[in-house]
Amino acid sequence: RGYQIFSANPGDFIAVKVDPSKVDQTKANLPRVNPKSPEFVNSNLSNQETRVSLAQDSVRKKRYEPKFKLDFVTGGGGVGVGNNAIGQNTLLAGGITMLFSDILGDHQLVSTLAINGEIFDAGGQAAYINRKNRIGWGAAFSHIPYPSVSFPQYYQSAVAVGDGTIPAIRESYFIQRIFEDRLDLFAQYPFSVTQRLEGGVSYARYYNRIDSINRYYATDPSYSYFGSFIGEERQKVDGGDGFNLYNINAAYVGDNSFSGVASPLKGYRYRVGGEFTTGAYQFFSPTADFRYYQYLKPISLAFRVTHLGRYGRDAERIFPIYLGYPWFVRGYQQDYVNQYGPSNDFSLANLLGSKIGLFGMEVRLPLSGPEKLSVVKSNFLLTELALFLDGGIAWSDYAQFNGPITDIFIENGEAVEKEVYPAARPMLSTGVSLRVNLFGAMVLEPYLARPLQKETQWVFGMNIVPGW
């Protein structure tokens, strides 16, 4: 409940000489705030005379040698092994993270292993962090797979069974895995407890693995039953050569925010920086992110303005940034865009671009949690109710702010004008969300969002990130 500081000069005191023989030398007792707690201090003071002192030669000096000890292990959602219902694939799922450090926390080692699918889908990271001096530094190595599956195609076929063949349907699709092997070196210099300068360099190698999958299903009723699974063929396809990327980055970061039950409560946060990437692709990626929080007891107001983008020679060769991610603008899931976009004169292309701008505002109410913050006191259920207004705009060329960009294409010997980039237009949504803090391990955010369009409906979605 605050502090009081009193000051006085020596002349403000009454100087009275005290007779040493009149001073009470009896040991004082510490007050017991919790009567059920053990009396370690008072009991040790009472037994001071009977305590056995250590011999001087029993204590010796030894130089401190930092050694890694395991601090904690977390397994995420657990670990599992199974076999898919159709085919002969053994699938794995799960992950584990281990943190090692010395007793002072000057040296830390973090290792993570995760898998979701076949053995090729295993990924992991190991990072070392040195925080002994003011300039903290570290290194990390990671191997991360990015799997994707193509849409299946169906063909009439035949399969050899015994001495003959039976008609079948062949289901063909591809599984592509893009692997990233990355080495990072990073450092940071704090100017204060709220501001720091950070930077780093990295090297990444990207390469492919493509598997062609053919599954066969019977169409002859005499073979078991119609549509029954017959077998599967798997073949590795040449994925082409890989490529290298080199990156250098720097950022100035400020953060004096105070966290509530599931998101920041008051203060501010900002990040201004950029990174330059070269190698097989060359582009510059700036970041400007400003967030402000005002605590009004019991609610808090949150605001943010963000710009992310890619500029330069190959800015448009990389897959564009998607504005409809729920941590950007909630409510613009792909199925909603496909269904209601045409009637509102926009498409998925309006949410894609090499550059995006974001605006967000929230009214947050800690619903359950600590008594001083929340409407309902709870020691284990931490929830936050939020009313939000999300907004964003995506573009690749600044000319899109003046209208769509078109170009001339030759089709069947004729010149045809086609739209290359749509006109840039803001996408807005509003709604309500409930953030649930699951014991500090993750924050779930189910939400109802209503895109601010002429023809629309409420959209339900789920976020698995803390509030911004």
Side-chain angles (χ1 to χ4, degrees), residues 84-335:
N84 53 332
I86 300 176
Q88 298 98 30
N89 301 46
T90 300
L91 304 178
L92 305 170
I96 185 170
T97 297
M98 295 182 289
L99 173 64
F100 303 84
S101 73
D102 61 344
I103 194 172
L104 298 179
D106 292 338
H107 306 269
Q108 291 185 328
L109 182 64
V110 185
S111 62
T112 299
L113 178 65
I115 188 170
N116 186 19
E118 301 179 62
I119 192 66
F120 308 111
D121 300 308
Q125 182 185 48
Y128 167 75
I129 303 173
N130 186 311
R131 306 192 305 175
K132 185 176 182 179
N133 301 309
R134 184 166 185 174
I135 299 180
W137 61 274
F141 176 76
S142 61
H143 170 78
I144 302 176
Y146 298 95
S148 62
V149 181
S150 67
F151 286 103
Q153 303 291 328
Y154 297 92
Y155 306 93
Q156 293 288 342
S157 182
V159 178
V161 176
D163 296 332
T165 61
I166 61 171
I169 293 293
R170 175 165 59 92
E171 179 189 51
S172 299
Y173 61 94
F174 294 92
I175 299 178
Q176 181 183 23
R177 296 174 176 89
I178 300 176
F179 299 103
E180 178 195 66
D181 293 341
R182 181 176 178 126
L183 176 64
D184 286 90
L185 301 176
F186 51 88
Q188 66 177 29
Y189 180 83
F191 296 101
S192 66
V193 295
T194 62
Q195 297 177 329
R196 71 177 184 269
L197 179 66
E198 61 182 44
V201 295
S202 69
Y203 161 77
R205 173 70 179 173
Y206 295 87
Y207 52 99
N208 287 316
R209 177 190 172 96
I210 302 177
D211 292 294
S212 172
I213 312 295
N214 292 313
R215 287 179 172 175
Y216 297 90
Y217 300 88
T219 58
D220 185 353
S222 64
Y223 180 81
S224 183
Y225 60 90
F226 182 79
S228 62
F229 177 72
I230 301 176
E232 176 183 284
E233 293 178 346
R234 299 172 65 93
Q235 182 180 4
K236 183 179 178 181
V237 181
D238 183 16
D241 297 329
F243 60 90
N244 302 323
L245 290 181
Y246 307 89
N247 179 281
I248 181 170
N249 59 83
Y252 191 81
V253 183
D255 188 348
N256 80 334
S257 62
F258 295 86
S259 294
V261 296
S263 62
L265 196 65
K266 65 177 181 178
Y268 63 81
R269 303 164 71 185
Y270 63 84
R271 182 183 186 88
V272 180
E275 53 183 73
F276 178 74
T277 302
T278 187
Y281 299 91
Q282 184 174 305
F283 54 89
F284 175 69
S285 304
T287 297
D289 190 352
F290 301 91
R291 308 177 185 190
Y292 176 74
Y293 315 97
Q294 180 68 46
Y295 184 45
L296 301 178
K297 295 183 181 180
I299 68 170
S300 64
L301 304 179
F303 306 88
R304 79 166 175 181
V305 178
T306 304
H307 170 60
L308 305 172
R310 291 191 289 263
Y311 297 81
R313 186 188 72 190
D314 299 313
E316 308 306 323
R317 294 181 61 195
I318 309 297
F319 192 81
I321 305 171
Y322 181 49
L323 191 66
Y325 287 130
W327 50 88
F328 288 159
V329 180
R330 284 160 283 197
Y332 285 88
Q333 286 92 320
Q334 186 169 343
D335 55 348

Side-chain angles (χ1 to χ4, degrees), residues 360-441:
M361 183 176 69
E362 287 191 355
V363 180
R364 298 169 176 171
L365 173 66
L367 200 58
S368 61
E371 183 177 8
K372 290 186 178 182
L373 290 180
S374 308
V375 177
V376 180
K377 179 184 177 181
S378 176
N379 294 326
F380 63 93
L381 182 61
L382 307 179
T383 62
E384 175 185 85
L385 187 68
L387 303 176
F388 64 83
L389 174 64
D390 289 346
I393 188 168
W395 73 97
S396 294
D397 192 308
Y398 282 96
Q400 291 176 252
F401 288 94
N402 298 323
I405 299 177
T406 61
D407 202 353
I408 303 298
F409 296 88
I410 303 299
E411 292 186 357
N412 299 323
E414 296 183 1
V416 180
E417 184 179 18
K418 288 188 175 183
E419 184 177 280
V420 180
Y421 295 116
R425 56 179 295 183
M427 298 292 170
L428 303 173
S429 69
T430 186
V432 60
S433 72
L434 178 68
R435 296 188 177 102
V436 182
N437 189 330
L438 298 179
F439 312 106

